Amino acid sequence: EPEVTQTPSHQVTQMGQEVILRCVPISNHLYFYWYRQILGQKVEFLVSFYNNEISEKSEIFDDQFSVERPDGSNFTLKIRSTKLEDSAMYFCASSEARDSPLHFGNGTRLTVT
Amino acid sequence: RKEVEQDPGPFNVPEGATVAFNCTYSNSASQSFFWYRQDCRKEPKLLMSVYSSGNEDGRFTAQLNRASQYISLLIRDSKLSDSATYLCVVASNNNDMRFGAGTRLTVKP
């Protein structure tokens, strides 16, 4: 069964550094998402992406964050100047259509020290 | 009012019990509804979609009540392996998915 893959599985970075989280969505999916989950808290929507542009973003997704689909397969989340409170699990997801179920990657655990 | 609200639990039930979770949503225009399960420190995984007429998948039954804006999940004959957090997911205005905080279930021998 095709799956969403994310790398790295764990990223440790120092406060103020930039990180790039990578995702390879399922190949025939058209909608891509990033979510985050702070330990012990709910899954929070960050951003959705379709047709090479952001379709919606949450309040969390401020100027510190950006997304990109640099080629036909990768979907990246960049966090500039990381803060301690950015420490969380970041999940990438993709779906075939707008109202189709999301398929999640295994997540990247980001630890900012 | 939160977009998607769930009873946080925890629910602690014995094996074989029947347990039900409810979830309410605020956007009356929501069109798509799902239940996901999430194991500790893992990604959410789709359990089932929720259809207007209600649907069943083995021991799991999902119901949608549009008038009252809630969905439910019923688990019959619960197994130890059902222990997880169950997430209610609702499509927002433009069909982007919003998650409830989850209901934690522990099934005990």
Short mmCIF file of all heavy atoms in Angstrom, two decimals, chain B residues 37-83:
data_model
loop_
_atom_site.label_atom_id
_atom_site.label_comp_id
_atom_site.label_asym_id
_atom_site.label_seq_id
_atom_site.Cartn_x
_atom_site.Cartn_y
_atom_site.Cartn_z
N ARG B 37 -7.69 6.78 14.57
CA ARG B 37 -7.13 6.36 15.84
C ARG B 37 -5.65 6.73 15.84
O ARG B 37 -4.99 6.74 14.79
CB ARG B 37 -7.33 4.88 16.12
CG ARG B 37 -6.51 3.92 15.31
CD ARG B 37 -6.62 2.49 15.81
NE ARG B 37 -5.68 2.22 16.89
CZ ARG B 37 -5.72 1.15 17.68
NH1 ARG B 37 -6.69 0.26 17.53
NH2 ARG B 37 -4.83 0.96 18.62
N GLN B 38 -5.17 7.03 17.03
CA GLN B 38 -3.76 7.38 17.17
C GLN B 38 -3.19 6.64 18.37
O GLN B 38 -3.69 6.77 19.49
CB GLN B 38 -3.58 8.89 17.36
CG GLN B 38 -2.11 9.31 17.36
CD GLN B 38 -1.92 10.81 17.46
OE1 GLN B 38 -2.74 11.53 18.02
NE2 GLN B 38 -0.82 11.31 16.89
N ASP B 39 -2.19 5.85 18.08
CA ASP B 39 -1.44 5.18 19.15
C ASP B 39 -0.36 6.13 19.65
O ASP B 39 0.06 7.04 18.93
CB ASP B 39 -0.86 3.87 18.63
CG ASP B 39 -1.95 2.88 18.29
OD1 ASP B 39 -2.60 2.39 19.22
OD2 ASP B 39 -2.18 2.63 17.09
N CYS B 40 0.10 5.86 20.85
CA CYS B 40 1.04 6.76 21.51
C CYS B 40 2.26 7.04 20.63
O CYS B 40 2.94 6.12 20.16
CB CYS B 40 1.47 6.15 22.84
SG CYS B 40 2.43 7.27 23.85
N ARG B 41 2.50 8.32 20.35
CA ARG B 41 3.66 8.78 19.59
C ARG B 41 3.70 8.27 18.14
O ARG B 41 4.76 8.18 17.54
CB ARG B 41 4.96 8.41 20.31
CG ARG B 41 5.10 9.12 21.65
CD ARG B 41 6.38 8.70 22.37
NE ARG B 41 6.49 9.39 23.65
CZ ARG B 41 7.25 10.46 23.87
NH1 ARG B 41 7.97 10.96 22.89
NH2 ARG B 41 7.30 11.02 25.04
N LYS B 42 2.53 7.91 17.65
CA LYS B 42 2.43 7.48 16.25
C LYS B 42 1.55 8.45 15.48
O LYS B 42 0.90 9.33 16.06
CB LYS B 42 1.80 6.08 16.17
CG LYS B 42 2.60 5.02 16.89
CD LYS B 42 3.83 4.66 16.13
CE LYS B 42 4.49 3.43 16.74
NZ LYS B 42 5.73 3.03 16.02
N GLU B 43 1.51 8.26 14.17
CA GLU B 43 0.67 9.12 13.35
C GLU B 43 -0.79 8.69 13.44
O GLU B 43 -1.09 7.52 13.69
CB GLU B 43 1.15 9.09 11.89
CG GLU B 43 0.79 7.84 11.10
CD GLU B 43 1.76 6.70 11.30
OE1 GLU B 43 2.52 6.71 12.29
OE2 GLU B 43 1.76 5.79 10.46
N PRO B 44 -1.72 9.61 13.21
CA PRO B 44 -3.12 9.22 13.14
C PRO B 44 -3.36 8.30 11.95
O PRO B 44 -2.78 8.49 10.88
CB PRO B 44 -3.85 10.56 12.93
CG PRO B 44 -2.88 11.61 13.36
CD PRO B 44 -1.53 11.07 13.05
N LYS B 45 -4.22 7.32 12.15
CA LYS B 45 -4.56 6.40 11.07
C LYS B 45 -6.08 6.36 10.92
O LYS B 45 -6.80 6.30 11.92
CB LYS B 45 -4.02 5.01 11.36
CG LYS B 45 -2.51 4.94 11.28
CD LYS B 45 -1.99 3.52 11.36
CE LYS B 45 -0.47 3.53 11.19
NZ LYS B 45 0.11 2.18 11.31
N LEU B 46 -6.51 6.38 9.68
CA LEU B 46 -7.94 6.39 9.40
C LEU B 46 -8.59 5.12 9.93
O LEU B 46 -8.16 4.01 9.61
CB LEU B 46 -8.18 6.51 7.90
CG LEU B 46 -9.64 6.48 7.46
CD1 LEU B 46 -10.36 7.75 7.92
CD2 LEU B 46 -9.75 6.33 5.95
N LEU B 47 -9.62 5.30 10.72
CA LEU B 47 -10.41 4.17 11.20
C LEU B 47 -11.60 3.97 10.26
O LEU B 47 -11.82 2.88 9.75
CB LEU B 47 -10.88 4.44 12.62
CG LEU B 47 -11.70 3.37 13.30
CD1 LEU B 47 -10.87 2.11 13.48
CD2 LEU B 47 -12.22 3.84 14.66
N MET B 48 -12.36 5.02 10.07
CA MET B 48 -13.48 4.94 9.15
C MET B 48 -14.01 6.32 8.80
O MET B 48 -13.90 7.26 9.59
CB MET B 48 -14.62 4.07 9.71
CG MET B 48 -15.18 4.51 11.03
SD MET B 48 -16.15 3.21 11.86
CE MET B 48 -17.37 2.78 10.64
N SER B 49 -14.55 6.43 7.61
CA SER B 49 -15.29 7.61 7.23
C SER B 49 -16.68 7.52 7.85
O SER B 49 -17.13 6.43 8.21
CB SER B 49 -15.40 7.72 5.72
OG SER B 49 -14.13 7.72 5.12
N VAL B 50 -17.35 8.64 7.98
CA VAL B 50 -18.69 8.66 8.56
C VAL B 50 -19.65 9.16 7.49
O VAL B 50 -19.51 10.29 7.00
CB VAL B 50 -18.77 9.57 9.80
CG1 VAL B 50 -20.15 9.45 10.45
CG2 VAL B 50 -17.68 9.23 10.79
N TYR B 51 -20.63 8.35 7.16
CA TYR B 51 -21.58 8.70 6.12
C TYR B 51 -22.92 9.10 6.73
O TYR B 51 -23.24 8.71 7.84
CB TYR B 51 -21.75 7.54 5.15
CG TYR B 51 -20.45 7.10 4.52
CD1 TYR B 51 -19.97 5.81 4.68
CD2 TYR B 51 -19.69 7.99 3.77
CE1 TYR B 51 -18.77 5.41 4.12
CE2 TYR B 51 -18.48 7.60 3.22
CZ TYR B 51 -18.03 6.31 3.39
OH TYR B 51 -16.84 5.93 2.85
N SER B 52 -23.67 9.85 5.97
CA SER B 52 -24.94 10.39 6.47
C SER B 52 -25.88 9.31 6.99
O SER B 52 -26.60 9.52 7.96
CB SER B 52 -25.64 11.18 5.37
OG SER B 52 -24.87 12.28 4.98
N SER B 53 -25.86 8.17 6.33
CA SER B 53 -26.79 7.11 6.71
C SER B 53 -26.24 6.25 7.84
O SER B 53 -26.89 5.30 8.28
CB SER B 53 -27.07 6.23 5.49
OG SER B 53 -25.84 5.79 4.94
N GLY B 54 -25.05 6.58 8.30
CA GLY B 54 -24.42 5.73 9.30
C GLY B 54 -23.74 4.56 8.61
O GLY B 54 -24.18 4.12 7.54
N ASN B 55 -22.69 4.07 9.18
CA ASN B 55 -21.98 2.95 8.56
C ASN B 55 -21.29 2.11 9.61
O ASN B 55 -20.99 2.57 10.72
CB ASN B 55 -21.00 3.44 7.49
CG ASN B 55 -20.12 4.59 7.93
OD1 ASN B 55 -20.60 5.66 8.29
ND2 ASN B 55 -18.82 4.37 7.90
N GLU B 56 -21.06 0.88 9.22
CA GLU B 56 -20.51 -0.11 10.14
C GLU B 56 -19.32 -0.79 9.49
O GLU B 56 -19.31 -1.05 8.28
CB GLU B 56 -21.61 -1.13 10.45
CG GLU B 56 -21.31 -2.09 11.56
CD GLU B 56 -22.53 -2.95 11.91
OE1 GLU B 56 -23.59 -2.39 12.19
OE2 GLU B 56 -22.39 -4.18 11.86
N ASP B 57 -18.33 -1.09 10.29
CA ASP B 57 -17.17 -1.83 9.80
C ASP B 57 -16.77 -2.78 10.91
O ASP B 57 -16.10 -2.40 11.88
CB ASP B 57 -16.02 -0.87 9.47
CG ASP B 57 -14.81 -1.59 8.91
OD1 ASP B 57 -14.86 -2.83 8.74
OD2 ASP B 57 -13.80 -0.93 8.63
N GLY B 58 -17.26 -4.00 10.81
CA GLY B 58 -16.98 -4.98 11.85
C GLY B 58 -17.57 -4.56 13.18
O GLY B 58 -18.77 -4.33 13.31
N ARG B 59 -16.72 -4.39 14.17
CA ARG B 59 -17.19 -4.04 15.51
C ARG B 59 -17.41 -2.54 15.68
O ARG B 59 -17.83 -2.09 16.75
CB ARG B 59 -16.14 -4.51 16.53
CG ARG B 59 -15.92 -6.01 16.57
CD ARG B 59 -14.88 -6.41 17.62
NE ARG B 59 -13.54 -5.94 17.29
CZ ARG B 59 -12.93 -4.96 17.95
NH1 ARG B 59 -13.51 -4.36 18.98
NH2 ARG B 59 -11.69 -4.60 17.60
N PHE B 60 -17.13 -1.78 14.65
CA PHE B 60 -17.20 -0.33 14.73
C PHE B 60 -18.40 0.21 13.96
O PHE B 60 -18.63 -0.18 12.82
CB PHE B 60 -15.91 0.30 14.16
CG PHE B 60 -14.66 -0.12 14.89
CD1 PHE B 60 -14.00 -1.28 14.55
CD2 PHE B 60 -14.15 0.66 15.91
CE1 PHE B 60 -12.85 -1.67 15.23
CE2 PHE B 60 -13.01 0.28 16.59
CZ PHE B 60 -12.36 -0.88 16.26
N THR B 61 -19.14 1.11 14.60
CA THR B 61 -20.27 1.75 13.96
C THR B 61 -20.16 3.26 14.12
O THR B 61 -19.94 3.74 15.25
CB THR B 61 -21.61 1.28 14.58
OG1 THR B 61 -21.72 -0.13 14.44
CG2 THR B 61 -22.79 1.96 13.89
N ALA B 62 -20.30 3.97 13.03
CA ALA B 62 -20.24 5.43 13.07
C ALA B 62 -21.60 6.00 12.69
O ALA B 62 -22.28 5.47 11.82
CB ALA B 62 -19.16 5.94 12.12
N GLN B 63 -21.97 7.06 13.36
CA GLN B 63 -23.25 7.72 13.08
C GLN B 63 -23.01 9.22 12.93
O GLN B 63 -22.13 9.79 13.57
CB GLN B 63 -24.24 7.51 14.23
CG GLN B 63 -24.62 6.07 14.49
CD GLN B 63 -25.72 5.60 13.58
OE1 GLN B 63 -26.29 6.38 12.80
NE2 GLN B 63 -26.03 4.32 13.64
N LEU B 64 -23.84 9.83 12.10
CA LEU B 64 -23.79 11.27 11.91
C LEU B 64 -25.17 11.85 12.17
O LEU B 64 -26.16 11.34 11.64
CB LEU B 64 -23.36 11.59 10.47
CG LEU B 64 -23.52 13.04 9.98
CD1 LEU B 64 -22.67 14.00 10.78
CD2 LEU B 64 -23.19 13.13 8.49
N ASN B 65 -25.23 12.89 12.97
CA ASN B 65 -26.48 13.60 13.22
C ASN B 65 -26.26 15.05 12.83
O ASN B 65 -25.71 15.85 13.58
CB ASN B 65 -26.87 13.49 14.70
CG ASN B 65 -28.22 14.12 14.99
OD1 ASN B 65 -28.56 15.18 14.47
ND2 ASN B 65 -29.01 13.46 15.82
N ARG B 66 -26.69 15.39 11.63
CA ARG B 66 -26.45 16.75 11.12
C ARG B 66 -27.25 17.80 11.89
O ARG B 66 -26.80 18.90 12.10
CB ARG B 66 -26.79 16.82 9.64
CG ARG B 66 -25.77 16.15 8.74
CD ARG B 66 -26.06 16.48 7.28
NE ARG B 66 -25.19 15.75 6.39
CZ ARG B 66 -23.98 16.16 6.04
NH1 ARG B 66 -23.49 17.29 6.52
NH2 ARG B 66 -23.25 15.44 5.22
N ALA B 67 -28.46 17.43 12.27
CA ALA B 67 -29.32 18.40 12.96
C ALA B 67 -28.68 18.86 14.27
O ALA B 67 -28.71 20.04 14.62
CB ALA B 67 -30.69 17.80 13.21
N SER B 68 -28.09 17.93 14.97
CA SER B 68 -27.46 18.26 16.25
C SER B 68 -25.96 18.47 16.12
O SER B 68 -25.29 18.75 17.12
CB SER B 68 -27.73 17.14 17.26
OG SER B 68 -29.12 16.97 17.45
N GLN B 69 -25.45 18.30 14.93
CA GLN B 69 -24.04 18.52 14.64
C GLN B 69 -23.14 17.68 15.52
O GLN B 69 -22.25 18.20 16.22
CB GLN B 69 -23.70 20.02 14.73
CG GLN B 69 -24.35 20.82 13.62
CD GLN B 69 -24.05 22.31 13.66
OE1 GLN B 69 -24.87 23.12 13.32
NE2 GLN B 69 -22.85 22.68 14.07
N TYR B 70 -23.40 16.38 15.51
CA TYR B 70 -22.46 15.51 16.19
C TYR B 70 -22.30 14.21 15.42
O TYR B 70 -23.16 13.80 14.63
CB TYR B 70 -22.86 15.27 17.65
CG TYR B 70 -23.94 14.25 17.90
CD1 TYR B 70 -23.65 12.88 17.92
CD2 TYR B 70 -25.24 14.66 18.16
CE1 TYR B 70 -24.64 11.96 18.17
CE2 TYR B 70 -26.23 13.73 18.41
CZ TYR B 70 -25.94 12.38 18.41
OH TYR B 70 -26.92 11.46 18.66
N ILE B 71 -21.16 13.58 15.67
CA ILE B 71 -20.91 12.25 15.15
C ILE B 71 -20.54 11.35 16.32
O ILE B 71 -20.12 11.83 17.38
CB ILE B 71 -19.82 12.22 14.06
CG1 ILE B 71 -18.45 12.58 14.63
CG2 ILE B 71 -20.17 13.15 12.92
CD1 ILE B 71 -17.32 12.40 13.62
N SER B 72 -20.74 10.08 16.12
CA SER B 72 -20.46 9.14 17.20
C SER B 72 -19.72 7.93 16.65
O SER B 72 -19.77 7.63 15.45
CB SER B 72 -21.76 8.70 17.88
OG SER B 72 -22.58 8.00 16.97
N LEU B 73 -19.05 7.26 17.56
CA LEU B 73 -18.35 6.02 17.24
C LEU B 73 -18.68 5.02 18.32
O LEU B 73 -18.52 5.31 19.52
CB LEU B 73 -16.84 6.24 17.18
CG LEU B 73 -15.99 4.99 16.93
CD1 LEU B 73 -16.22 4.47 15.52
CD2 LEU B 73 -14.51 5.29 17.14
N LEU B 74 -19.16 3.87 17.91
CA LEU B 74 -19.49 2.80 18.84
C LEU B 74 -18.54 1.64 18.59
O LEU B 74 -18.38 1.20 17.44
CB LEU B 74 -20.94 2.34 18.62
CG LEU B 74 -21.46 1.26 19.57
CD1 LEU B 74 -21.84 1.89 20.89
CD2 LEU B 74 -22.68 0.58 18.96
N ILE B 75 -17.94 1.15 19.63
CA ILE B 75 -17.06 -0.02 19.53
C ILE B 75 -17.69 -1.14 20.35
O ILE B 75 -17.89 -1.00 21.56
CB ILE B 75 -15.64 0.28 20.05
CG1 ILE B 75 -15.05 1.50 19.35
CG2 ILE B 75 -14.74 -0.95 19.85
CD1 ILE B 75 -13.68 1.92 19.89
N ARG B 76 -17.98 -2.22 19.68
CA ARG B 76 -18.55 -3.39 20.37
C ARG B 76 -17.47 -4.40 20.65
O ARG B 76 -16.46 -4.49 19.93
CB ARG B 76 -19.62 -4.04 19.50
CG ARG B 76 -20.92 -3.26 19.38
CD ARG B 76 -21.92 -4.01 18.50
NE ARG B 76 -21.40 -4.20 17.14
CZ ARG B 76 -21.46 -3.27 16.21
NH1 ARG B 76 -22.01 -2.11 16.46
NH2 ARG B 76 -20.97 -3.52 15.01
N ASP B 77 -17.69 -5.23 21.68
CA ASP B 77 -16.78 -6.32 21.99
C ASP B 77 -15.32 -5.83 21.97
O ASP B 77 -14.47 -6.34 21.22
CB ASP B 77 -16.96 -7.46 20.97
CG ASP B 77 -16.19 -8.71 21.34
OD1 ASP B 77 -15.88 -8.89 22.54
OD2 ASP B 77 -15.86 -9.48 20.43
N SER B 78 -15.04 -4.83 22.76
CA SER B 78 -13.74 -4.18 22.70
C SER B 78 -12.60 -5.14 23.03
O SER B 78 -12.74 -6.06 23.85
CB SER B 78 -13.71 -2.96 23.62
OG SER B 78 -14.15 -3.28 24.90
N LYS B 79 -11.50 -4.92 22.32
CA LYS B 79 -10.30 -5.75 22.46
C LYS B 79 -9.18 -4.92 23.10
O LYS B 79 -9.20 -3.68 23.04
CB LYS B 79 -9.80 -6.22 21.07
CG LYS B 79 -10.86 -6.80 20.16
CD LYS B 79 -11.29 -8.15 20.60
CE LYS B 79 -12.29 -8.75 19.61
NZ LYS B 79 -12.97 -9.92 20.19
N LEU B 80 -8.21 -5.61 23.64
CA LEU B 80 -7.06 -4.90 24.21
C LEU B 80 -6.41 -4.00 23.16
O LEU B 80 -5.96 -2.88 23.47
CB LEU B 80 -6.02 -5.90 24.76
CG LEU B 80 -6.46 -6.78 25.91
CD1 LEU B 80 -5.34 -7.76 26.27
CD2 LEU B 80 -6.86 -5.95 27.13
N SER B 81 -6.40 -4.48 21.93
CA SER B 81 -5.75 -3.73 20.84
C SER B 81 -6.52 -2.47 20.44
O SER B 81 -6.02 -1.66 19.65
CB SER B 81 -5.57 -4.62 19.61
OG SER B 81 -6.82 -5.14 19.22
N ASP B 82 -7.72 -2.31 20.96
CA ASP B 82 -8.47 -1.08 20.68
C ASP B 82 -7.98 0.09 21.52
O ASP B 82 -8.39 1.24 21.29
CB ASP B 82 -9.96 -1.28 20.96
CG ASP B 82 -10.62 -2.28 20.01
OD1 ASP B 82 -10.12 -2.44 18.87
OD2 ASP B 82 -11.62 -2.90 20.41
N SER B 83 -7.14 -0.17 22.49
CA SER B 83 -6.62 0.90 23.34
C SER B 83 -5.83 1.88 22.48
O SER B 83 -4.87 1.51 21.82
CB SER B 83 -5.70 0.33 24.43
OG SER B 83 -6.42 -0.52 25.30
#
